[in-house]
Amino acid sequence: LGAGGVGRAVAFLCAQKGAHRIFLLNRSGQKAVAVAEEVNAKIGRNCVQAMELAGWEKLPKKRMLAVQATSVGLFPDCGSAVIEDEAFYERVHTGYDLIYQPSQTKFMRLALRAGGKAYNGLKMLVWQGVEAFELMNGISVSGEQAAKIYEMLLKKTEI
């Protein structure tokens, strides 16, 4: 969900990891089409299909991974989800919201309520920071150190 920088990166990652079908939903259908065409061209196969968010009901009725890559629901506007209709979440086996504050977004609550699993983006933030720190300083951060950083940030992001 979302065709901005992070949504684009997620589409590339899923395609590179071998996902057969990726549905890229965005408010602007044109932006989703541009990202889908770019990913498909660089990957060398047509696995990304662009759709407008409003057309989510055309998605397959099987349960799938949904990655929320928009700013909808980000602190301090925590009461919204990019798709509000609970019927969407009945198709989600795992909801991954790249937002990390609040620690549980409305998107995540809706996924959980529909019987799916839900995760936020805090670990992504931590490992992104670890990678940058290692590159900038030429040193390694252990998994144990990263876990401590994660725990510290988890306490700070709980609302």
Side-chain angles (χ1 to χ4, degrees):
L1 306 174
V6 176
R8 179 179 171 271
V10 169
F12 265 110
L13 179 66
C14 291
Q16 288 172 338
K17 294 292 184 182
H20 294 286
R21 290 193 72 183
I22 301 162
F23 299 97
L24 184 61
L25 283 68
N26 195 62
R27 287 178 301 202
S28 161
Q30 285 181 311
K31 189 170 186 180
V33 167
V35 172
E37 288 175 350
E38 178 189 11
V39 174
N40 288 336
K42 288 187 178 171
I43 295 298
R45 60 189 176 93
N46 288 325
C47 57
V48 183
Q49 179 182 334
M51 297 174 64
E52 289 191 14
L53 274 169
W56 70 263
E57 291 172 329
K58 296 174 188 163
L59 289 168
K61 296 202 185 286
K62 65 180 188 173
R63 292 178 67 96
M64 61 189 85
L65 166 69
V67 180
Q68 200 295 110
T70 76
S71 61
V72 177
L74 182 64
F75 182 81
D77 183 22
C78 305
S80 301
V82 68
I83 296 176
E84 297 277 345
D85 192 331
E86 292 186 21
F88 168 78
Y89 298 91
E90 293 171 6
R91 300 178 189 192
V92 174
H93 66 67
T94 304
Y96 184 40
D97 197 332
L98 299 179
I99 291 172
Y100 53 87
Q101 191 170 17
S103 58
Q104 189 177 81
T105 62
K106 184 173 183 181
F107 171 87
M108 293 169 62
R109 288 191 303 275
L110 288 166
L112 290 167
R113 189 178 313 148
K117 296 177 183 176
Y119 303 94
N120 69 23
L122 186 59
K123 284 188 179 179
M124 180 187 73
L125 174 72
V126 168
W127 285 105
Q128 184 177 313
V130 166
E131 289 283 329
F133 184 82
E134 289 177 338
L135 286 170
M136 297 289 286
N137 296 293
I139 60 173
S140 294
V141 175
S142 72
E144 184 178 298
Q145 290 169 317
K148 286 180 185 178
I149 294 166
Y150 173 77
E151 290 300 323
M152 289 170 45
L153 286 174
L154 186 60
K155 289 177 185 169
K156 295 227 178 243
T157 59
E158 290 176 349
I159 296 178

